[in-house]
Amino acid sequence: GRADGGDAHLACRMPWGGSAVDEAGGGGLRAACRRLGSAGLTRQGATGNQDVGEKRTDIEVEDTCGFAPALRMVNGLGLRQDVGDSATYYAGRERNSSFRVFGNVEYKPIAWMNLNAGGFFERDQITGSAFSPRIAANVHLDDRQTVRLVVSTGVRRPDIQEQCVNRTTEGSHLP
C-alpha cells in the first residue's frame, strides 16, 4: 500500500501510520465505501489539465553621466509585465505590472578609494512598493586587491506564481 494509506481506504481497511485526524477522516471514507459496496472499490480515472504558461515582458533604460573625472552617476527606469495562464494554477489568467527606478552616484575622492550611494524603488500591482538603499566604500590596496564595505537592504519580489496561485483541479473524460 501507499504510505498515506490511500489503497487501504479504498479497500475499506484501516491504514497504518496516520494521525488521529487522518484516522477520523478515514473512518468516514470507509463508511461511505461500505455503503457503495463493490462499486466503491472500482478505481476511476480522469484527465486533468496541468498546463501553465507564463510570459514576462521587460524593458529598461539606463543612462550613465560623467560630471567630472571623480564623479559619475548611473540612473535608469524599467517597466515589466508578467502574465500567467492556467486553468489549474490561476483559475484563468493573472497579470502583474511593475515599475522601477534606480540610481547610483560614485565619487572617487582619491585614487585608491571609491564611494557609492544609490537606491532602487519598485512598485507593482500585487505587493505594492519597496525601496532598497545602498552605500559602499571600496579601498584599492593595489591593482589586484580591493577591500569593500557595503551596507544595503534588498527586497526579493515573489513572482506571479508565488503570489497568485489559486489551484483548482477539474477532471474530464470520466468513465
Side-chain angles (χ1 to χ4, degrees):
R2 296 184 329 214
D4 65 1
D7 288 335
H9 282 307
L10 288 173
C12 296
R13 294 189 321 264
M14 184 66 81
W16 51 272
S19 68
V21 173
D22 293 336
E23 297 304 323
L29 180 61
R30 284 188 300 278
C33 183
R34 284 189 192 102
R35 282 193 302 275
L36 290 171
S38 62
L41 299 177
T42 305
R43 290 184 183 250
Q44 302 293 320
T47 301
N49 178 358
Q50 300 295 313
D51 292 345
V52 63
E54 292 186 14
K55 179 180 175 185
R56 175 176 285 172
T57 305
D58 199 341
I59 186 167
E60 186 172 284
V61 177
E62 181 179 297
D63 181 43
T64 302
C65 300
F67 298 108
L71 182 64
R72 67 180 176 169
M73 183 168 42
V74 177
N75 296 303
L77 59 92
L79 301 170
R80 185 174 88 199
Q81 183 173 54
D82 296 319
V83 178
D85 287 302
S86 176
T88 300
Y89 295 104
Y90 303 123
R93 174 175 276 194
E94 288 288 342
R95 295 177 188 269
N96 187 27
S97 296
S98 63
F99 165 80
R100 63 190 177 273
V101 61
F102 58 90
N104 183 70
V105 175
E106 180 184 82
Y107 177 57
K108 193 171 182 88
I110 48 182
W112 50 269
M113 179 184 283
N114 293 20
L115 302 173
N116 291 277
F120 182 89
F121 173 82
E122 184 175 23
R123 178 177 186 82
D124 71 27
Q125 294 173 312
I126 297 172
T127 57
S129 301
F131 179 71
S132 301
R134 181 180 190 274
I135 59 171
N138 298 302
V139 177
H140 307 287
L141 303 176
D142 60 35
D143 290 343
R144 298 181 340 170
Q145 293 183 342
T146 301
V147 175
R148 182 182 315 219
L149 174 65
V150 178
V151 177
S152 67
T153 62
V155 176
R156 181 196 167 275
R157 298 292 214 175
D159 70 11
I160 195 167
Q161 188 168 11
E162 293 170 316
Q163 285 292 313
C164 299
V165 168
N166 179 13
R167 186 165 176 117
T168 330
T169 303
E170 293 183 15
S172 59
H173 304 101
L174 291 169

